[in-house]
Every structure is written in C-alpha cells, then in structure tokens.
Amino acid sequence: MKKTINLKFTLILLLIGFMIAVQYNSIENPKQRDTRDIWAIRQELAEEKKLHSELLSEIRELDRTMSSYRTLSDFSTGQALRDTVDKLHQKAGTTDIEGPGIIIDILPSAESIAYGIPITSISSDLLTRFVNDVNRFKGIDMEIDGKRYNVLSSIRVINGSTSVNGLNVSTPPFKIKIISQTLADSEKLYNYLLASSIHDDFYLDNLILDIKPPEKGVIIRAWPEKLENLYLNELPKGE
C-alpha cells in the first residue's frame, strides 16, 4: 500500500515537472513567424551588405594610411600626419568646404500665403526626418540655415523654436546646402529628393521644398565651435 502511494506521488511530481518545463520553454522560445515578404528581406540584406562594404572601405583606407607611414621618412611622415589631421578636420566640419552639391529652399506653401496662414518655425521632428532621409547617402556635408550639421550637431526645441547646434533656425524661407563627394553623387541625391515622399510631410506643415539642380561650387561654412582635446597631451620635445 505504501509503495502504491509513493508511486502515485512520484508520477504526479513528474507530470507537474513536465508541465512546468513545457510552459517555461514556450515562454523562452515563442514560435514567431517571419511575416515579411521576400522583397523586404532582400532590402534588409542589401542594407547589411552596403554597411559591410563601407566598413571594409574604411579598413582599407586605414591600412593604406598605416602603410604609407611605415615607408616614409621622418619629414614625410610628419607631412602625412598633418594631411591626416586636415582630413579629420574636414570630416568633423571645422573647415569651410567647397564642392559639388545642391541647394534647397524651404519655403511657405502657396496655399498658406494665399489664405494668410501664419508660418512658424519648422518642427524639429520634420527637420530630423529630412536629415535622416538625406543621410542615406554617405560622404555628404550639410548646412542648415547657415549652421553646419555634422555628427556633433543636434536638433532640439529651445524656448519653442527649433534649433541646430543651439542656434534657432529661421522661420521659412531659409536654405539647406548639401555637398557630395562627386557631381554624380549630387545628381543621385537630387533625383532621390525630387521623388521622395518627404515633400508630403513638408506640405502638411504648409511648407515646400524647392530643390535646385546640382552645382559644381557650393560653399558650406565651418563648424563655429572650437573642438577641445580632453584626453591627449603633447609630450615635451625630446621624449
């Protein structure tokens, strides 16, 4: 009799343990189907391959820089370092640049002018979306209403007005300048923006984008703030 009770008790514990294990497994590993179609998957794969290609290009460029340092004399190495610093300053946006690009006028829509609708500062969300849309194209430099935009920049709302780098963006009309690495890249960006749905978002805010054809000599101002070195110190000569 005692053995029978122990056997039943053991079976009940085994059943409870099995049910707990099944429930835990279903929570930890839920069955989710990937409902994306083949084109969405292909697009994501293409974006990953593009990112991989860009990383490989950066690695190759760094390898070439290191190789040039090893083969140069002391004087030439110093010049190479200065050239590298100049390139970094250009990437950081601390120097004026001139190159092929496009100029975009942000204007009030014709309907808002006709009906006397007051135009306020462009919203930070809309400006951020525009910047993110343009940043699909790599190797570009941008100026928003005379304010250099780079990786250090920020778009915020200060006292109810949209600002870039802490400076208020003018109430439209104002200009956005974008410089690309080549004139062909500017053509691609120009055609992309002409067909972009971003126009609808601007129109809903009573604004329009007037995109000028690419030019060879667009000038963008430098980042106004001085970059501070917080961690590196120059060694005394001879050390």
Side-chain angles (χ1 to χ4, degrees):
M1 184 68 178
K2 188 175 182 180
K3 290 183 178 180
T4 303
I5 295 175
N6 289 338
L7 179 61
K8 291 181 178 179
F9 186 75
T10 302
L11 291 175
I12 292 173
L13 290 178
L14 287 174
L15 181 60
I16 294 174
F18 177 77
M19 294 175 65
I20 292 175
V22 171
Q23 184 178 6
Y24 178 82
N25 186 64
S26 63
I27 294 174
E28 289 296 314
N29 302 297
K31 293 182 179 179
Q32 294 181 352
R33 294 183 59 189
D34 193 341
T35 57
R36 296 175 300 173
D37 58 26
I38 186 64
W39 291 109
I41 297 175
R42 286 169 64 91
Q43 182 178 3
E44 184 176 347
L45 178 60
E47 292 176 355
E48 292 295 331
K49 291 180 68 175
K50 182 180 179 181
L51 177 61
H52 182 257
S53 177
E54 291 172 355
L55 291 174
L56 288 178
S57 299
E58 292 181 4
I59 292 173
R60 283 194 293 267
E61 183 178 354
L62 292 174
D63 286 340
R64 285 194 296 267
T65 302
M66 293 298 297
S67 298
S68 65
Y69 290 164
R70 296 190 187 100
T71 58
L72 295 174
S73 63
D74 292 341
F75 176 79
S76 299
T77 301
Q79 183 60 45
L81 287 171
R82 285 189 289 272
D83 293 340
T84 302
V85 171
D86 291 340
K87 291 180 180 178
L88 292 175
H89 275 294
Q90 183 173 346
K91 287 184 178 180
T94 58
T95 58
D96 293 344
I97 60 171
E98 180 178 359
I102 59 175
I103 298 176
I104 304 170
D105 287 324
I106 310 298
L107 305 170
S109 64
E111 289 80 3
S112 65
I113 296 175
Y115 291 105
I117 299 174
I119 302 299
T120 58
S121 175
I122 184 173
S123 70
S124 60
D125 291 338
L126 180 58
L127 186 57
T128 299
R129 179 170 181 184
F130 174 82
V131 170
N132 291 339
D133 206 27
V134 170
N135 278 333
R136 295 171 182 265
F137 294 80
K138 303 300 181 181
I140 64 171
D141 294 278
M142 191 183 315
E143 179 185 285
I144 302 174
D145 189 30
K147 304 161 185 62
R148 185 70 172 269
Y149 187 91
N150 57 21
V151 294
L152 300 175
S153 299
S154 61
I155 298 175
R156 296 192 180 97
V157 176
I158 300 177
N159 295 327
S161 298
T162 300
S163 66
V164 175
N165 302 332
L167 302 174
N168 288 346
V169 177
S170 302
T171 300
F174 64 85
K175 295 182 183 295
I176 296 178
K177 299 179 181 180
I178 305 173
I179 290 180
S180 304
Q181 294 180 341
T182 64
L183 188 60
D185 291 336
S186 295
E187 290 279 358
K188 292 178 181 178
L189 177 59
Y190 172 75
N191 292 325
Y192 172 79
L193 288 176
L194 285 181
S196 175
S197 61
I198 195 71
H199 289 272
D200 297 332
D201 298 321
F202 274 81
Y203 191 75
L204 289 174
D205 281 6
N206 298 314
L207 300 173
I208 60 172
L209 295 172
D210 184 12
I211 307 171
K212 309 298 183 184
E215 303 177 14
K216 292 183 179 180
V218 176
I219 299 175
I220 286 181
R221 302 176 188 176
W223 170 269
E225 300 292 335
K226 182 179 179 181
L227 297 179
E228 296 182 358
N229 182 15
L230 301 178
Y231 304 105
L232 299 179
N233 294 315
E234 183 179 358
L235 290 174
K237 294 183 178 180
E239 294 188 12

